[in-house]
């Protein structure tokens, strides 16, 4: 069997830990694969790049998940719900698109106790892929986004949605999650500080799905003495599912998780 090639596409992509995680697991599970990163500026070029690089599979990160959704020939149920794809596998000349973000996120919040209500900051691809899974799992989900435009599909799906202008920050939510890209490459907060301070004070815990740095949102939550978590566990669990697709279910999830986790140490 010849070496199988994989990559992550994104912009930015330099921060991604996916190459480290997957290469470590390929090596230790003795799978003949190699995983790189590709800075993709124009999402329209995703399919051509995937083919010309000779890839067997890929992960897709911000801001190309919706473009990846459009590029695939076949889609799993989570990708269809989210209209966003974060994992692509090539089989028999067709691109199969999956979304592992929702399931990865759900598992990553199991460490927080007594969470019933969740406020998601942001209405992008990841908010799409997580919100319905969360609701199907019994959580009450509210969406708060900077602009109105992206809220339409959430409203159509029956979610309570707000922009900064019409949001009542005296409301209580058990868990506040930053699912915006604010703080990824800059030092901006995901919402105005007066709104954030109040909802964080009223919350039980705060999570940022950005990983590898302490974002202004997490710094604020820590300064208000809240339990916090970054996006490392979500990265890990969505990565387990992606690795499972890349290797065509050759390994069990616990051994994949063990190797991906060791890559962080
Ligand atoms: P999208 O580009 O699809 O959506 C971005 C969202 O962030 C939009 O709602 C946008 O609001 C909002 N936003 C962007 N900048 C700001 C800002 N300065 N202030 C307030 N809101 C802002 O991104 P994704 O959903 O794909 O990804 C979001 C983040 O999640 C990224 O940082 C990504 O790295 C991270 N991520 C982490 C994962 C993990 O495994 N840990 C997995 C997936 C994603 P508007 O609609 O107004 O433009």
């Amino acid at each position: 069997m010849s070496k199988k090639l994989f990559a992550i596409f994104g912009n930015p992509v330099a921060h991604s830990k996916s190459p480290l995680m997957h290469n470590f697991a390929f090596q230790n599970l003795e799978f003949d694969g190699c995983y790189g990163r590709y800075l993709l500026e124009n999402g329209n070029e995703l399919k051509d790049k995937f083919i010309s690089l000779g890839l067997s599979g890929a992960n897709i990160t911000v801001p190309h998940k919706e473009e990846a959704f459009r590029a695939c020939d076949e889609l799993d149920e989570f990708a269809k719900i989210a209209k966003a794809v974060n994992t692509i596998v090539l089989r028999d000349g067709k691109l199969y698109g999956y979304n592992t973000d929702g399931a990865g996120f759900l598992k990553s919040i199991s460490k927080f106790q007594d969470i019933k209500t969740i406020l998601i900051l942001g209405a992008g691809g990841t908010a799409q892929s997580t919100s319905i899974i969360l609701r199907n799992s019994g959580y009450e989900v509210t969406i708060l986004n900077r602009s109105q435009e992206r809220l339409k599909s959430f409203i159509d799906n029956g979610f309570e949605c707000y922009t900064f202008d019409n949001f009542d920050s005296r409301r209580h939510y058990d868990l506040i999650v930053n699912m915006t890209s604010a703080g990824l490459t800059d030092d901006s907060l995901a919402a105005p500080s007066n709104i954030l301070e109040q909802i964080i004070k009223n919350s039980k815990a705060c999570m940022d799905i950005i990983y590898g740095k302490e974002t202004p949102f997490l710094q604020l939550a820590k300064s208000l003495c809240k339990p916090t978590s970054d996006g490392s566990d979500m990265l890990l669990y969505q990565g387990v599912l992606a690795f499972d697709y890349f290797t065509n279910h050759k390994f069990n999830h616990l051994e994949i998780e063990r190797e991906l986790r060791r890559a962080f140490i």
Side-chain angles (χ1 to χ4, degrees):
M1 189 180 77
S2 61
K3 190 180 281 298
K4 293 196 167 187
L5 304 179
F6 304 87
I8 180 159
F9 290 97
N11 184 13
V13 77
H15 70 286
S16 174
K17 288 209 164 81
S18 293
L20 170 77
M21 281 169 33
H22 288 279
N23 283 325
F24 188 89
F26 285 151
Q27 196 175 341
N28 288 297
L29 294 171
E30 297 182 5
F31 182 88
D32 193 11
C34 181
Y35 189 115
R37 69 181 84 228
Y38 193 93
L39 176 67
L40 184 69
E41 284 173 2
N42 183 354
N44 289 326
E45 295 173 1
L46 176 71
K47 190 169 186 173
D48 289 346
K49 292 289 174 205
F50 184 102
I51 303 292
S52 66
L53 290 168
L55 299 180
S56 297
N59 286 122
I60 322 299
T61 188
V62 65
H64 299 312
K65 291 180 192 179
E66 279 105 344
E67 200 61 58
F69 171 80
R70 288 188 281 276
C72 288
D73 304 300
E74 304 284 343
L75 296 159
D76 83 336
E77 57 168 320
F78 298 121
K80 281 183 193 160
I81 289 171
K83 297 188 172 54
V85 157
N86 77 332
T87 302
I88 295 179
V89 176
L90 179 70
R91 264 188 233 113
D92 303 325
K94 280 185 175 178
L95 295 189
Y96 286 74
Y98 304 91
N99 195 308
T100 66
D101 281 335
F105 179 74
L106 190 62
K107 187 147 189 218
S108 75
I109 62 167
S110 57
K111 60 178 168 268
F112 294 116
Q113 305 295 311
D114 300 325
I115 301 298
K116 175 81 182 149
T117 54
I118 300 181
L119 179 69
I120 293 181
L121 308 172
T126 316
Q128 287 277 4
S129 59
T130 50
S131 51
I132 290 177
I133 288 192
L134 287 171
R135 185 169 65 188
N136 291 348
S137 304
Y139 294 99
E140 283 172 32
V141 179
T142 303
I143 314 289
L144 175 60
N145 195 46
R146 176 175 64 177
S147 57
Q148 183 67 37
E149 203 185 338
R150 293 208 218 201
L151 290 175
K152 188 176 178 316
S153 60
F154 291 87
I155 294 167
D156 291 347
N157 278 320
F159 287 99
E160 213 175 300
C161 294
Y162 300 97
T163 59
F164 303 153
D165 296 336
N166 62 6
F167 180 70
D168 180 357
S169 48
R170 292 167 301 181
R171 295 273 302 270
H172 286 237
Y173 301 95
D174 298 330
L175 180 66
I176 319 284
V177 186
N178 178 25
M179 282 197 192
T180 75
S181 37
L184 179 63
T185 54
D186 56 28
D187 285 326
S188 61
L189 279 167
S193 58
N194 58 325
I195 292 181
L196 284 182
E197 273 178 33
Q198 188 144 16
I199 53 170
I200 290 172
K201 275 183 194 157
N202 292 342
S203 73
K204 292 179 181 164
C206 296
M207 177 171 174
D208 202 314
I209 64 163
I210 293 172
Y211 59 86
K213 69 178 282 198
E214 196 168 271
T215 59
F217 170 75
L218 279 192
Q219 287 166 7
L220 181 60
K222 277 192 179 169
S223 75
L224 296 169
C225 302
K226 296 295 171 182
T228 59
S229 157
D230 76 357
S232 301
D233 280 345
M234 178 181 177
L235 174 75
L236 178 80
Y237 297 130
Q238 63 78 26
V240 169
L241 299 172
F243 192 94
D244 189 36
Y245 288 125
F246 291 158
T247 55
N248 201 17
H249 316 297
K250 195 165 181 246
F251 307 98
N252 75 48
H253 281 198
L254 283 177
E255 62 184 337
I256 300 170
E257 182 183 330
R258 186 191 63 218
E259 295 307 329
L260 295 185
R261 199 180 279 286
R262 281 175 63 209
F264 279 108
I265 298 166

